[in-house]
Amino acid sequence: MRSGMIGFLGAQLEQTDAFGAEIAADAPYLWYRLGETTGTTALDSSGNSRNGLYFGTAGVSYQQGQTGLVGDADTAVRLLADSGYIRSQSQHTFPLTNATHMLAFKADVAAPAGVMTMWNQNTDPSKVTAARDRGFVLGSDGKLYFTFWDGSATRRAVSSAVVNDGARRLTHVSIGASSTSMYINGVLQETIPYVPGFSYTAYWYVGRTAITDTPSPTNTSAGFRGVVDEAAVFTSALSAARIAAHAAAAGF
């Protein structure tokens, strides 16, 4: 459970567990552990003070204090409705390449398509951003996608199997100079020879936002249905070995 301390000291206290120590070693740019049991602030455990906010009604559109997904005592959040999501308090400029996105999640059984994480320039998640978004989406086919615009077309890395089966998972997307790779539980799912091609400053959302240029099966602006935990972004392309270390620390 969280110490309740805000800022760098609180972040350091939260990194004493095995999983937290592995994440901290890779210097996340922004890291929501989502272990709050009350309140509307999602603390940034990176030490960079990039806190987020919970939106919606506690107990109705989201439920805090859920069992965590990475094998530690820290809790997680269940998202119940489109009105329940987390958004960074400020806009941030995230690199197109040499970057990594991470999320622990447990999709509800037969959960419909929904946005899991996404960058969007708007404070209203129902509005489409003026630029091209990038992030995790649960597709209508039950598979996990990382979708982005490469400057000429929408590209997607996709999981090898469905993920809306009620099982916990830890996913990473590592973006290098010329390719994008998706991992689930430390195992490579797909590498595609494309990288994001449109830079912009935006809010980071977990659990909901409108998206652009994504035909079926990811053409959704609905919110994610399930539990989310340990949402983070890194300003480096993590290696397969480091991603495997994260997964091992989470018990995979």
Side-chain angles (χ1 to χ4, degrees), residues 3-228:
S3 66
M5 297 182 69
I6 298 175
F8 186 75
L9 176 59
Q12 290 302 297
L13 292 175
E14 292 177 17
Q15 295 167 9
T16 57
D17 59 285
F19 180 80
E22 288 291 347
I23 304 307
D26 290 316
Y29 173 85
L30 194 160
W31 178 19
Y32 297 160
R33 303 208 71 178
L34 302 178
E36 293 81 22
T37 55
T38 60
T40 59
T41 299
L43 295 177
D44 174 20
S45 294
S46 71
N48 295 318
S49 300
R50 299 183 173 108
N51 292 340
L53 296 170
Y54 289 91
F55 288 83
T57 303
V60 176
S61 49
Y62 66 88
Q63 292 176 332
Q64 296 169 309
Q66 303 297 295
T67 300
L69 303 179
V70 295
D72 61 11
D74 198 55
T75 59
V77 178
R78 176 177 290 280
L79 302 177
L80 302 169
D82 285 357
S83 58
Y85 59 91
I86 301 96
R87 194 205 75 206
S88 61
Q89 291 180 347
S90 303
Q91 292 187 333
H92 303 289
T93 303
F94 192 63
L96 295 177
T97 59
N98 296 316
T100 302
H101 299 243
M102 182 187 81
L103 179 70
F105 70 94
K106 184 170 70 172
D108 291 346
V109 175
V115 176
M116 303 167 79
T117 69
M118 196 66 64
W119 293 86
N120 190 310
Q121 292 172 310
N122 296 295
T123 56
D124 180 350
S126 68
K127 294 182 178 179
V128 174
T129 188
R132 312 291 185 174
D133 308 318
R134 56 195 183 274
F136 291 112
V137 181
L138 176 64
S140 57
D141 58 358
K143 292 186 176 182
L144 175 67
Y145 290 81
F146 186 83
T147 180
F148 60 88
W149 179 258
D150 75 344
S152 61
T154 296
R155 307 296 181 182
R156 303 176 195 83
V158 61
S159 63
S160 60
V162 300
V163 298
N164 60 346
D165 56 2
R168 71 182 182 101
R169 289 177 170 87
L170 178 67
T171 187
H172 295 75
V173 160
S174 181
I175 305 169
S178 59
S179 64
T180 298
S181 298
M182 176 189 284
Y183 299 79
I184 294 181
N185 300 343
V187 177
L188 179 65
Q189 302 295 296
E190 184 178 30
T191 296
I192 58 175
Y194 306 101
V195 295
F198 200 110
S199 181
Y200 60 101
T201 299
Y203 295 96
W204 190 48
Y205 282 83
V206 178
R208 168 84 198 282
T209 188
I211 54 179
T212 57
D213 298 295
T214 51
S216 184
T218 57
N219 58 335
T220 178
S221 294
F224 175 66
R225 297 294 184 271
V227 178
V228 291

